[in-house]
Each structure stands twice: as C-alpha cells, then as structure tokens.
Amino acid sequence: MHYADTPVCRMRSLRSITLRVPDPVQSKDFYHEAWGLSTVDEDRSTFWLRATGSEHHVLRLEQHDVNALGKISFALGSRVEVDEAARALQKLGIPLLREPGLLSDDAGGGYGLQLVDPEGRCVELSTDTHAVVAQEPAGRRAVPRKIAHVVLNTVDIDRAADFYTQVLGMRISDWSEHQMTFLRCNSDHHVIALNQAPWTSVNHVAYEMQSIDHFMRGIGSLKHHGIAPQWGPGRHGPGDNTFSYFTDPAGLVCEYTSEVAQIDEDAWLCRTWQRTPELSDQWGTAGPPTAAVRSAMAGVADLGHRDRVVPGVADYFLSGE
Ligand SMILES: [Fe+2]
C-alpha cells in the first residue's frame, strides 16, 4: 500500500499508552500497588500513572464497557512539527480526531494532534508536555522507567507496517516470519510491534526496567503480591530483550522487559527471524506461552474510533470484525 513519499513527522519516542477498561479503579490499584507505577493524577474514573523516567505519565486508564486501546502517544520536537504534521496528514487524507491544539484535558498537558490509523487506532503526536524530574537511578527499587513497547494485533500486517513507516516515519528493525514486525522511532530496537491477528486489539504493553537486576527484582516483587508470570522469564530473539508476561485485573497483558537492543541507524540491517523455540527464548527458561496468556494477548476486538471520525473516509478503514 502506498500512503506517502515522505513521512509527516519525525517521532522521537513513545510517551504513553491509554487503556480503556471496565473497572479502571481495579486496574489502577494493580499498577500502583503491585506493578511499580505511581498514580499522579485522577479525574473521576480516569487515572494517570508515572514511571521513573521523564514522562509525566506512561499509562492513562479510562473507563469503557470493554477493553480497548485509548491512544498511543508519541513525542514530537516542537509545536511547529505538530502543525506541519497536521498539514501533511490532511494532504494525505488521513483523518484527524483532533486538530493541533492544547491537550488541556490531559493531566500531562502539552500541545498535540490525534490521527487515526487504518484500523481505527488513535495515535497522538505531542510536544511541550509538563516536565517532571526523572527519579533515576531508581536505586534498587523494582519500578519501571518507561513504556518499552506496545504490541498491536492487526488484521493486515503489511498495510499497518506501510502506514507506520511511510506516514509516521518508523523503521522496521526485524520481522518474525510474516507474523510480527518490530518498528523503531529511535535507537530502541522497537517501540511498537505489529502482530497479524484475526481482529484489531492490544496484544500487550511492555514496561522497561532499568537493568536485568531490576527486571528480576520486579518479578520477585510481584511474587510477593501473589502474582506469577504467565510466560517467562526469558530473552527474546528479535530485540534481544528480556521478557516476563503477566495479566492485569482487566485481563490485559503487561510485560516487564530490559536490555532491548540499541540500533545504529546507519549500520542496522533488517532480518527475518524463524519462529522456533530457541529464537523465541534464547535462554530456554520460559517454555511455550500458556493457552491463557495467548488468549489474553488476542484480547477482544477493538472497534476503535471509527464511529467518531469524519465522514467520507470509510474506505480508509480496514474491516477488523
Ligand atoms: Fe513484548
């Protein structure tokens, strides 16, 4: 699929994820009490949770009748870049959920826009968010520093990869056969990955721990809360990152990870990994994922924001039902 000759922006990093769940209080309690994030703001049934890095928040939880992705937020460098991205998106006929402006309904503030990807996901591009002092190094506390990546179940992996590379300027770091593709916007091997699936949904959200020691301490800390890994610990082939997967009270999958490969933009060559047990888990410690975690990773169909976008762009969207 050809979307664009030139990307509309240069994204600097993945800032935060918004998840919509039926009981955000229960999820907030899990991420605050057990997972290691801190609740920094709330407004009725919306909660903002912070890690130890420099983002105001890395997770926003909202109330919704079924589990869904609220939005994925990426950082741009300036307001000029946001405005330029808006003009370029409009030229390409890509629907905006929100024109450039102050993000005054978000506790993290900022200036940004929101666009819709071909499967109805909301992508936010923002700048000028509230500064916070990073709590790093975190000592020996087993707390996440940032969102490492989000994996998106997608009904057409090639079209989604074309959109995120051509329009949003991401680069493909690796493929896992024709099942998954790993995309970067900075030196981290991936900040999103796309997974071919029967419907659109969030597969999982991964949180980066400061070191492998913090990663293991995090697993131990959850064990004290009576929470066991559903898959892991292990070390993936693509990205070379450690992994340990859990499910939150909403049934969404969350991951502790560390040591993701750092990419030299000029030297990196994209590869395709075979989906063998040795490459899925280099350590050989994790074994296969359980049926329960596989089912949680598949999630429920996310019909996204299709009902909220401007009319006249119906053919832009893929059918994920
Ligand atoms: Fe992951």
Side-chain angles (χ1 to χ4, degrees):
M1 176 84 191
H2 181 74
Y3 285 101
D5 295 326
T6 313
V8 304
C9 61
R10 186 163 73 86
M11 303 193 306
R12 308 302 207 279
S13 62
L14 173 60
R15 282 192 196 285
S16 66
I17 300 292
T18 298
L19 296 175
R20 296 178 156 184
V21 294
D23 187 344
V25 173
Q26 205 181 27
S27 293
K28 181 266 293 177
D29 288 346
F30 167 80
Y31 285 104
H32 181 98
E33 315 271 336
W35 195 247
L37 303 180
S38 306
T39 311
V40 289
D41 213 330
E42 57 183 272
D43 179 12
R44 294 184 293 274
S45 56
T46 301
F47 300 92
W48 287 264
L49 292 109
R50 186 175 299 169
T52 59
S54 56
E55 289 296 340
H56 172 273
H57 62 276
V58 297
L59 177 63
R60 172 174 159 159
L61 295 165
E62 297 175 352
Q63 207 279 329
H64 192 57
D65 52 353
V66 290
N67 287 346
L69 177 68
K71 66 184 178 189
I72 314 170
S73 297
F74 292 100
L76 295 192
S78 68
R79 293 187 182 212
V80 169
E81 290 184 20
V82 171
D83 293 340
E84 284 174 352
R87 282 194 290 274
L89 286 162
Q90 273 153 351
K91 256 188 212 162
L92 295 172
I94 291 165
L96 294 186
L97 267 182
R98 191 166 174 156
E99 302 280 334
L102 293 174
L103 302 171
S104 46
D105 59 338
D106 196 286
Y111 180 87
L113 64 78
Q114 293 177 352
L115 62 113
V116 189
D117 87 359
E119 291 180 50
R121 301 182 196 91
C122 173
V123 175
E124 183 174 83
L125 306 175
S126 70
T127 189
D128 268 353
T129 52
H130 295 324
V132 298
V133 177
Q135 302 297 307
E136 292 195 321
R140 295 198 140 188
R141 288 183 303 141
V143 288
R145 59 160 38 146
K146 67 176 185 178
I147 301 278
H149 58 262
V150 56
V151 176
L152 304 169
N153 292 322
T154 188
V155 295
D156 186 338
I157 194 168
D158 293 312
R159 184 162 165 173
D162 287 346
F163 182 87
Y164 281 90
T165 53
Q166 293 174 26
V167 177
L168 294 177
M170 302 188 85
R171 280 85 67 198
I172 294 178
S173 295
D174 276 315
W175 285 85
S176 173
E177 295 182 359
H178 195 223
Q179 176 63 41
M180 290 186 77
T181 185
F182 299 84
L183 291 95
R184 68 184 184 277
C185 68
N186 53 32
S187 63
D188 288 345
H189 177 272
H190 57 286
V191 295
I192 67 168
L194 303 165
N195 180 52
Q196 179 66 45
W199 56 75
T200 301
S201 56
V202 183
N203 184 289
H204 67 269
V205 179
Y207 297 77
E208 186 183 285
M209 305 301 266
Q210 190 175 304
S211 69
I212 199 161
D213 185 58
H214 293 82
F215 166 80
M216 290 305 292
R217 286 171 188 274
I219 297 169
S221 168
L222 288 175
K223 194 171 179 183
H224 285 296
H225 284 88
I227 301 163
Q230 305 263 325
W231 185 30
R235 188 188 279 276
H236 284 309
D240 200 32
N241 51 312
T242 65
F243 67 88
S244 193
Y245 294 90
F246 303 85
T247 43
D248 76 9
L252 292 167
V253 177
C254 44
E255 175 190 359
Y256 280 154
T257 188
S258 64
E259 301 191 337
V260 69
Q262 295 299 297
I263 300 298
D264 174 349
E265 200 63 51
D266 294 327
W268 184 260
L269 300 174
C270 173
R271 294 174 294 176
T272 296
W273 295 75
Q274 299 301 307
R275 295 175 69 79
T276 62
E278 310 77 61
L279 296 178
S280 292
D281 173 21
Q282 301 180 64
W283 287 342
T285 49
T290 61
V293 79
R294 290 174 72 92
S295 164
M297 285 173 163
V300 295
D302 188 343
L303 299 182
H305 299 265
R306 267 174 283 189
D307 50 348
R308 286 207 268 139
V309 299
V310 289
V313 288
D315 57 349
Y316 170 78
F317 292 108
L318 288 168
S319 172
E321 292 98 308

